[in-house]
Structures are given as structure tokens and as C-alpha cells.
Amino acid sequence: MGDRIEIATLDGAAAMPAYRAMPEGSPKGAIVVIQEIFGINAGIREKADRWATLGYLAIAPDLFWRMEPGVELDPDVPAEMERAFDFYKRFDLDAAMRDVEATIKAARGDAEKVGVVGYCLGGLIAYLAATRTDADASVGYYGGGIDTKLSEAHAIGKPLMLHFAGDDHFIDAAARAAIGDGLGSNSRVTIHDYAGVDHGFAATSGSRRVDDAARLADGRTEAFFAEHIG
């Protein structure tokens, strides 16, 4: 279903690799799928493919391309998890946000409305897409670090949905409470908590996935984008 494309950076000086999944017929909208710290691996490609089956153009930009293009890591392999954290430590978030903005711009060539959905690192980026880009709607899954970026919340102008794991060992209760306090009064923001599950519960496969919680969260996300993207 998918293919590999290149997207021009905002300054036009380089091309960023990305995975694209096309729907049958004209897309009813576009979804930008933002990776975890594991690159554009099979799980992220599966996420993009799923959106295409629902009638959306889906694009997953390779946000590690500035360090090493084509990274694909498995979180269930300890050595690959360590490598993922190394990429995370070297990650340039502001440059990545410009790359997300470039991806949204490219997607608008084929779709009137564009949504952003991200996981883990991508969950933080999805939140920042709501504060820094013209995305029409955004969804973040277990985005670590959102509590450190609440000063940007005033810029949220479009619908935002956030999913959090109740037993997340990366995002503790204090951070989740701060996010709730910081965003709870914003009518554009919807926050869902999932008791008894840990970070990564909505992975497509592997040891992190918790099927019931993943299906519930993904169903809410699909309904959210159906309402706000098409």
C-alpha cells in the first residue's frame, strides 16, 4: 500500500524521506503520522496503512533523517532500545517541528484538511503541532515532555486530543496532573486516561501493546479525525 517519497524542507535546501500510504480514490483528508523514538519502523508504517484504508492520505516523515535516514528499531530488543534512546538524546526538536510543518504543507497539496497523530516522542510533537503549526486537528499518545511545554498552550487554536497511560513509567502522575491542570480549561482539548496500562500501550504489536486500551484509544482517535478532518 505504501511507498517512499521525499519532502522538500521549508527552506528548500534539502529533501526529507517519508513513508506515504495512499487510499483508494481521492483522499477525504490527510493524516501526518509521527514516529516514536524507533524511526519509521513496521509499526509506524502499519499505522499509516491503517489511515489509508480509512480513506486518508497518510504520510510518516522520517524525523531522524538529519542524524541517520532510514532508522527502524524494535523496542522489544534491548540493544535497539538503547540505540533509540541515543537518537532521542541527540534529537533536535525545533528542527523536527519545521519538518512536520513541511510535511503538513506537502499534504495540503492533496487534501484540504490535515491532521497530525503521534506516539511517544511523536505525542509531544503532536501537541506542539497544535501550538506551532496550522494542522486542523492533532492527537498525541503518551507524549513525554508536554508538561514542560505548557507555556505554549495559549496558541492551541484547533482541536487536540491526548491519550495517557495510567501507569506510565516515563510520564509520572505529577506530570500528567500538570498537563491536566494546564490544559483542562481549554475547550479545544480532550484528555483521555487509561488505567492500568503503561507507555506504548497502543503499539501495533509487541510486548507493550494492551489490546483493549489500544482499540479504545484508536477508536476515539478515528472518530475525532472523522469529525475534524473528514
Side-chain angles (χ1 to χ4, degrees):
M1 179 179 293
D3 62 356
R4 304 283 182 162
I5 62 171
E6 292 188 338
I7 296 170
T9 55
L10 288 179
D11 61 8
M16 168 181 55
Y19 177 79
R20 176 181 63 182
M22 297 289 293
E24 293 185 6
S26 298
K28 56 186 180 182
I31 306 295
V32 176
V33 181
I34 307 298
Q35 67 186 66
E36 300 178 275
I37 60 174
F38 311 110
I40 307 303
N41 61 8
I44 291 299
R45 296 195 302 272
E46 186 175 337
K47 295 283 192 187
D49 290 345
R50 169 65 179 169
W51 288 113
T53 66
L54 295 174
Y56 300 93
L57 164 67
I59 303 176
D62 180 356
L63 297 184
F64 284 170
W65 73 280
R66 297 173 186 275
M67 295 181 285
E68 181 182 328
V71 172
E72 295 188 35
L73 301 173
D74 183 343
D76 286 334
V77 177
E80 296 190 15
M81 175 67 86
E82 289 184 17
R83 188 162 179 243
F85 278 118
D86 179 65
F87 281 114
Y88 177 68
K89 291 174 184 176
R90 296 186 287 125
F91 187 68
D92 186 331
L93 180 61
D94 291 330
M97 291 310 304
R98 293 191 292 272
D99 290 338
V100 170
E101 190 174 357
T103 307
I104 293 170
K105 179 181 177 181
R108 289 201 189 280
D110 296 293
E112 179 179 352
K113 291 188 175 183
V114 180
V116 175
V117 60
Y119 307 84
C120 181
L121 171 62
L124 169 61
I125 290 172
Y127 165 76
L128 292 176
T131 70
R132 300 188 188 183
T133 78
D134 66 349
D136 295 288
S138 302
V139 178
Y141 286 70
Y142 29 84
I146 293 175
D147 57 305
T148 70
K149 301 291 185 181
L150 292 173
S151 62
E152 300 192 32
H154 68 278
I156 297 172
K158 299 288 179 65
L160 169 66
M161 178 178 284
L162 298 173
H163 302 286
F164 289 104
D167 292 343
D168 198 314
H169 70 287
F170 290 120
I171 309 170
D172 63 21
R176 297 195 303 273
I179 293 166
D181 291 342
L183 301 178
S185 63
N186 190 324
S187 62
R188 298 183 181 91
V189 180
T190 303
I191 299 176
H192 295 291
D193 293 294
Y194 301 82
V197 300
D198 201 349
H199 196 87
F201 71 86
T204 57
S205 61
S207 64
R208 300 179 302 157
R209 181 176 174 85
V210 179
D211 197 61
D212 289 348
R215 289 179 182 275
L216 177 58
D218 289 345
R220 286 168 167 167
T221 298
E222 290 173 12
F224 180 80
F225 281 143
E227 178 181 358
H228 299 295
I229 303 301

